[in-house]
Each structure stands twice: as structure tokens, then as C-alpha cells.
Amino acid sequence: MCIRLGYDRIATVVKQRRRGGSTRARGVHAVAMAYDTNMLVEASRAAIDAALAAGRTRTNGGRAIDEHQVHAERLAYAATEVAAAEALAAHAAERADAPVARMAAAFAGEIAGKLRATIEQHWDDFGLDAAVFAGTLGRDEVRHAVRAAQHEARLREIGAEVLRTRGANNGFIDGDMAEMARDSARQFARKEVAPIAERIHRHDELVPESILRAMAELGYFGMSVPEEYGGQGMGNLVMIVITEELSTASLASAGSLITRPEILTKALLKGGTEAQKKTWLPPVAAGELMVGISVTEPDTGSDVASVRCRAERGEERGVPGWFLSGAKAWCTFAGRANVLALLARTNPDLSLGAKGLSLFVVPKDPFTGHEFEMRQPGGGAMHGKADATPGYRGMHSYTLTFDRYFVPAENLIGEAQGEGKGFALQMQGFAAGRLQTGGRACGVAQAALETTATYASERKQFGRPIGDFQLTQYKLGRMATHLAAARQLTYAAARAMDADESISLEPSMAKLFACDVAVWVTQEGQLLHGGWGYAEEFPISRYVVDAQVLPIFEGVKPILELKVIARGLLGR
Ligand SMILES: Cc1cc2nc3c(=O)[nH]c(=O)nc-3n(C[C@H](O)[C@H](O)[C@H](O)COP(=O)(O)OP(=O)(O)OC[C@H]3O[C@@H](n4cnc5c(N)ncnc54)[C@H](O)[C@@H]3O)c2cc1C
């Protein structure tokens, strides 16, 4: 797994440093900390690998996960946390940067300590050989390293640095292009999006056309579209870095605008005919066509293979095609969108499950309100009504009903070859969406860290800024550390996807972990704001409600853990 390659890099870098050379420059203390970090991730990796091997036997190679759901979920989460610790440690090993090294050590210690406790609490379920445990997380040296890494003084030191820098994210990213992309996206997001983000949220407005136009000019809708189809072909890492910056300004009226074209692009690249790629990708990349993704139905969410919306073969005015009938739910941006990527049942035999589903590009007129109706000349109709939500405002998410809505046959992705392949294409699209959501989550958590660091520096109680108190520094230190781990796990997944577009495990792990970090960091930030954290005019209250949706969509957390991550890890 690519994330683990990062871990190999740490070992190499730490070994080089142990051999001499840079020891004096970096100080004995720094080298000792890097050594501990290395040992902690090594012990965690060995223990989780042994636990996964036992889990594979227990679940019959992943086939019996449903008979062991609770343990499978535990394994999926623990493996994800270990991968996050490895990713942050690899990043720290490459940078002679003291704050990053402290965060890597603290996080490696937290994860090793947590994994050790989890294994001990559920010893029989884990089924670990006692000698393996004793030789990894049970070693005295490892236990001492956990205590040192988790010492509150180290986390307070990280928190003090967060206060000093106001939480700014200026860390090194491997690759000039990504750093340049970050600078330009930051400038755009802070100048154009941030000033209107609160108004859009509080009045439940639609993202203005000016933002869509500006993002189109910057090429943000075509980042994963290859240059031959009019896109930027910039790859996944650049896409993530830009997503983070946009989401720091606003989740729903900037960062999430990229998700939909990303999902459709990946589905078209995987399964579209050449003519379909040439028809749809250039206008999507240019931001001329806004996209909605329509999979979920009122009675069908996680069990995507059971989608019921029907597509019946027919003809309208001599054009062969399909008539769509049925209901869809939670289709974000469906009003303003010019096309929907819609999953429908082309074979009425429900027993076929996923094999009866096909993916369509459904054209429609754009609408700006919370409710719309579109009637076709031949009598077909599509109706949409937005569901009110506490956060994630700016695009509106609609319940849709289709009544013999006509779509030409050439709009079925893959045409005749694509019939029955919609589920697989949609899943490929979701893998890209999940990676992008890792970036969205890091952006929201970053916004919360920055605003909380500023608030804690300015708010005074008991005669001192609240940031002067030990507990505030400790909390900020943990927030920054978890965010750094989520970011590096997401970047590692982006690099892995750049190397192999077909992967789904790494992006899913990044999504799982980063979304939880966003929920937790925003809530910690809100508490540090006290009562003002609950006031709408303080942005932290928006970040809290925005973050809460992140573990729900693109595979609600328990399903992502069981059906994607546990399957991916235990099915090997
Ligand atoms: C604001 C918002 C925007 C959205 N945007 C879109 C969009 O643009 N396009 C789109 O298609 N969808 C969208 N969604 C829908 C989203 O993807 C779904 O809500 C999500 O996939 C979960 O489906 P569900 O809500 O039907 O939950 P369910 O599938 O009913 O699951 C609910 C809970 O049941 C439990 N559960 C279910 N099955 C199992 C199982 N096998 N084992 C153990 N536990 C289980 C889990 O605890 C799960 O969390 C959006 C949702 C929201 C809230």
C-alpha cells in the first residue's frame, strides 16, 4: 500500500541520521525524538498487521465481515489511524522542522497507546499471538516512548506554536506546482469567497455566479480532466491542495463545487466512449456545465445496489433513449446543475442487484431557487425541492422526482457497453469524491484551527488571554496534531491515486479519518470560543455544522468502514 511506502522512507531517513552527519545540527534531542517516532509507528504497524492477519482468518478472507461487524469496524479504524501516523511520520522524517517532528511524535505516541489499549480491551477478538504483542506494543521501550510522546508539555509546546502562527498552514508540500497552486487558491478563496461565506450560510443562498465564473477561469472544474479533453490534467495532489484552500473559506460555496465534476470526470474516463468524453469533459472542465450527482433515493442510501429509479427503453420524436421514472434524494446542486450523473435501473429484474444499474448523464435547465420543475416537450417532467439543513448551505440538496423524463441513448455512459456497469462506474467516481472530501475536511478543520488560535490570543479571562492557559495550549496542540495527520494521510492518498487511478482503499481511509478530525477539531474550537462559539456571527459556529455532514455523505461512516475499508483490508 502506497501509504506504507511513506513509512519505509521514515526508516531510511532516521537510519541516515543515526549514522551521523546531521546529528549535531539537529541536536541529540531531535534525533532521539525521530528515533522514538520511528519505533512507535513500527510497533503499531507490526501489531496492526498481525491483527489484520488474524481478522482475515476470523472473517474468512472478508466474506464474513457481517458476522463480525463490531470487530471489523474496530480494525478498519485502527488501521486507518496507523496509516495516518505513518504518513505524518514520513513527512516529518523528510523535513528538519521541529514543530512537524513534535506533532509526528505526539501522534505516533497517541496512536500506539490507543492501539495497545484497544487490543488489551478486546484481546480475544484481536486474537493476537501474545509473543507478537509483547515484542511490539508491549515492549517497555515502546511504552516509555508512548509516555514521552504524549507528555502534555510536548503538546503544549505545539499549541504555543499554533498560537504564535495563528494556526497558519504554510508547511512544505512536495512539488512546486502544489505549493504554487496553494498560494493562488488561498488568495482567491480569502479575497473572493471568505467575505460572502457567512451571508450565504445565514441566508441559505445559492453560491453566486461570480464565484462559479471565477473558479472556471482558474481551471478548478477541470483539474482531473486530461489536457486532451480541455482540462488541466494537474493530478490529484494539486486538486486536494486547492480543495483545502477553497474549503477553508467555505465548504459549500467553494470547496464542494469541485466534488461533482471530479466524480463525473472519473466515471467518464473509466467507462465513457471516446465520443462521450469529447462531448462532456471539455464543457465540464471549462465550468460551462455544472454537475449534480444523483445516486441516493428516499428509501435507498447505503445499499446502492438496490437503487430503484427506473430507466425504460423507448423513443421520443425518433430519438432512441430511456425514460426515467422514480424518486431521488439529497441531490446536491441539482437546481443550478446543467447535468446530473444519475444511477438508474435499466434492467427491471431486481434480483440482478448492482448488475441491473446504469449511469446516465441527464441534461436539464439550471434553476436558482429552492424548488423547481422542468417539463420536456414530450411530456416528461423532473421536480426538485431542497431539504432544509443546518449547514452545508450554498448549493442546496434536493429531493427529486422523475416522471418519464427522457434521456437520449447516447447519454448512457459507455452506451450499449455501459449497460449494467453503472454501479462500478459510480464507485470509481466515489473513490475520487472521497479523496476530494479528505481535502474538504482538512480545509474546514484548518479554518477552525486558525479562527480558534486568533480568538484564544485575543480573548481575555482572569486577566490573561485564554491562550496563556496550559489547557488551551494543550487542546490547540492536539487539534493541530490531528489535523496534520489527516492532511498527510490525504496527501499520501492523493499521491497513491496519481500513481494508480483505480485504488479505493487509500482515498476511503483519508476520507474516514479527515472527516472525523474535522468534526472533532471544529467542536473543540467551538468550546474554546465559549458562548460566542454558538453565535452565528462567529464563523466557528458555521464550521461546526458544516463539518457534521462530512462523515455522512459519500458512504456514511459505518458503511465506509465496513464495506470499503474492512473489505479492502481483510479481503486480501
Ligand atoms: C447534505 C447532504 C448532501 C448529500 N449529497 C448527496 C448527493 O449529492 N448525491 C447523492 O447521491 N447523495 C447525497 N447525499 C446522501 C448521502 O450520500 C447518504 O445520506 C448516505 O450515503 C447514507 O445513506 P442514508 O442516508 O440512506 O443512510 P442509511 O443507508 O439508511 O444508513 C443509516 C445508518 O444505518 C446503519 N447501517 C445501514 N446499513 C448498515 C449495514 N449494512 N451494517 C451496519 N449498519 C448499517 C449505519 O449506522 C448508517 O449510518 C447527501 C446527504 C446529505 C446529508
Side-chain angles (χ1 to χ4, degrees):
M1 181 163 86
C2 179
I3 290 168
R4 292 189 60 184
L5 287 181
Y7 166 67
D8 295 339
R9 287 207 306 271
I10 328 171
T12 314
V13 174
V14 170
K15 268 185 212 138
Q16 280 165 356
R17 287 184 181 151
R18 261 191 274 160
R19 274 201 293 270
S22 58
T23 306
R24 241 177 324 204
R26 299 185 64 234
V28 173
H29 182 68
V31 173
M33 189 159 65
Y35 174 78
D36 276 2
T37 305
N38 190 29
M39 180 174 58
L40 288 166
V41 290
E42 195 172 36
S44 301
R45 169 53 60 194
I48 195 69
D49 277 353
L52 289 170
R56 255 170 237 131
T57 308
R58 185 140 197 237
T59 60
N60 187 18
R63 283 181 283 280
I65 284 176
D66 276 347
E67 280 82 72
H68 304 278
Q69 281 199 345
V70 175
H71 186 59
E73 189 267 353
R74 206 178 273 138
L75 281 174
Y77 208 85
T80 301
E81 288 181 321
V82 172
E86 287 171 338
L88 183 56
H91 176 61
E94 283 179 343
R95 310 296 308 151
D97 180 327
V100 177
R102 271 196 289 273
M103 289 198 280
F107 192 72
E110 178 168 339
I111 297 312
K114 189 173 165 193
L115 183 58
R116 180 191 155 89
T118 307
I119 292 172
E120 285 191 322
Q121 280 159 12
H122 307 285
W123 183 257
D124 292 337
D125 288 334
F126 271 93
L128 230 64
D129 187 321
V132 170
F133 185 70
T136 55
L137 295 172
R139 273 168 60 206
D140 278 350
E141 201 188 1
V142 171
R143 288 160 64 177
H144 291 138
V146 167
R147 284 179 209 148
Q150 276 290 288
H151 195 284
E152 61 161 78
R154 194 172 278 179
L155 284 146
R156 280 195 274 118
E157 213 175 333
I158 299 168
E161 179 71 7
V162 171
L163 285 160
R164 194 184 66 72
T165 61
R166 299 290 193 267
N169 166 31
N170 291 319
F172 172 83
I173 318 173
D174 202 359
D176 286 351
M177 180 113 130
E179 280 205 20
M180 273 159 50
R182 180 173 68 187
D183 292 345
S184 106
R186 185 170 297 177
Q187 215 179 352
F188 165 72
R190 302 210 173 186
K191 187 159 167 258
E192 308 293 338
V193 181
I196 57 171
E198 183 190 328
R199 191 194 75 211
I200 292 173
H201 169 69
R202 288 175 75 178
H203 300 283
D204 197 11
E205 292 176 10
L206 190 68
V207 58
E209 290 297 315
S210 57
I211 296 288
L212 302 181
R213 272 200 309 276
M215 283 178 62
E217 274 163 29
L218 288 162
Y220 290 168
F221 296 114
M223 284 188 285
S224 293
V225 176
E227 284 174 88
E228 59 188 297
Y229 299 113
Q232 310 297 317
M234 285 194 278
N236 292 296
L237 182 61
V238 172
M239 181 272 288
I240 284 297
V241 167
I242 290 172
T243 295
E244 260 189 285
E245 293 303 324
L246 296 176
S247 304
T248 301
S250 170
L251 176 68
S253 36
S256 300
L257 288 166
I258 300 177
T259 322
R260 277 135 272 280
E262 279 291 315
I263 293 175
L264 177 58
T265 295
K266 296 287 165 88
L268 277 167
L269 287 175
K270 184 171 168 72
T273 63
E274 193 51 35
Q276 286 173 332
K277 290 178 201 166
K278 285 192 173 131
T279 303
W280 299 112
L281 290 176
V284 166
E288 287 157 14
L289 293 182
M290 289 295 130
V291 181
I293 304 294
S294 192
V295 175
T296 308
E297 299 181 350
D299 295 324
T300 309
S302 305
D303 185 10
V304 175
S306 297
V307 153
R308 280 172 180 267
C309 182
R310 293 185 316 280
E312 288 164 318
R313 214 185 283 273
E315 201 179 281
E316 188 166 285
R317 299 193 216 176
V319 178
W322 300 84
F323 290 96
L324 301 175
S325 298
K328 288 284 179 185
W330 292 112
C331 187
T332 302
F333 216 32
R336 171 60 184 83
N338 309 87
V339 288
L340 305 180
L342 183 140
L343 193 65
R345 190 161 289 285
T346 39
N347 190 319
D349 180 359
L350 282 174
S351 70
L352 284 175
K355 292 195 182 109
L357 300 175
S358 305
L359 191 59
F360 291 89
V361 180
V362 181
K364 64 175 277 298
D365 294 340
F367 299 91
T368 53
H370 286 77
E371 188 165 2
F372 66 88
E373 184 160 64
M374 169 144 183
R375 293 206 163 269
Q376 294 179 311
M382 176 195 307
H383 174 262
K385 189 170 189 317
D387 291 278
T389 55
Y392 195 52
R393 295 173 177 169
M395 288 190 289
H396 313 327
S397 299
Y398 296 79
T399 295
L400 302 174
T401 41
F402 294 86
D403 182 12
R404 290 190 61 76
Y405 191 89
F406 181 74
V407 191
E410 64 193 22
N411 288 28
L412 190 156
I413 297 185
E415 296 202 48
Q417 303 297 318
E419 245 184 276
K421 301 212 174 98
F423 182 86
L425 294 179
Q426 187 61 57
M427 291 305 136
Q428 184 64 43
F430 272 154
R434 285 174 190 143
L435 176 67
Q436 202 260 347
T437 301
R440 290 197 275 175
C442 291
V444 175
Q446 177 63 33
L449 186 70
E450 286 180 24
T451 196
T452 306
T454 302
Y455 185 82
S457 305
E458 291 166 1
R459 172 75 171 174
K460 286 192 176 135
Q461 287 295 289
F462 301 97
R464 298 158 72 182
I466 60 171
D468 275 7
F469 294 110
Q470 289 186 350
L471 188 56
T472 307
Q473 292 172 6
Y474 175 79
K475 279 178 174 289
L476 283 167
R478 287 196 73 220
M479 288 158 70
T481 297
H482 280 240
L483 171 54
R487 178 173 287 131
Q488 293 310 321
L489 183 67
T490 306
Y491 289 179
R495 290 188 186 105
M497 213 171 191
D498 277 338
D500 178 0
E501 283 288 338
S502 71
I503 59 167
S504 64
L505 180 61
E506 289 86 346
S508 300
M509 284 179 155
K511 195 251 175 195
L512 172 68
F513 186 70
C515 292
D516 273 7
V517 166
V519 170
W520 177 73
V521 165
T522 53
Q523 288 180 353
E524 285 288 285
Q526 186 175 48
L527 285 174
L528 285 169
H529 278 72
W532 298 111
Y534 204 61
E536 282 202 338
E537 70 230 52
F538 280 75
I540 189 72
S541 64
R542 167 163 57 93
Y543 303 148
V544 169
V545 286
D546 277 356
Q548 280 170 339
V549 77
L550 293 165
I552 294 176
F553 49 40
E554 281 160 10
V556 65
K557 182 178 166 183
I559 300 301
L560 192 66
E561 292 170 315
L562 292 176
K563 305 276 180 204
V564 186
I565 300 173
R567 256 189 207 166
L569 292 168
L570 300 175
R572 292 174 170 190

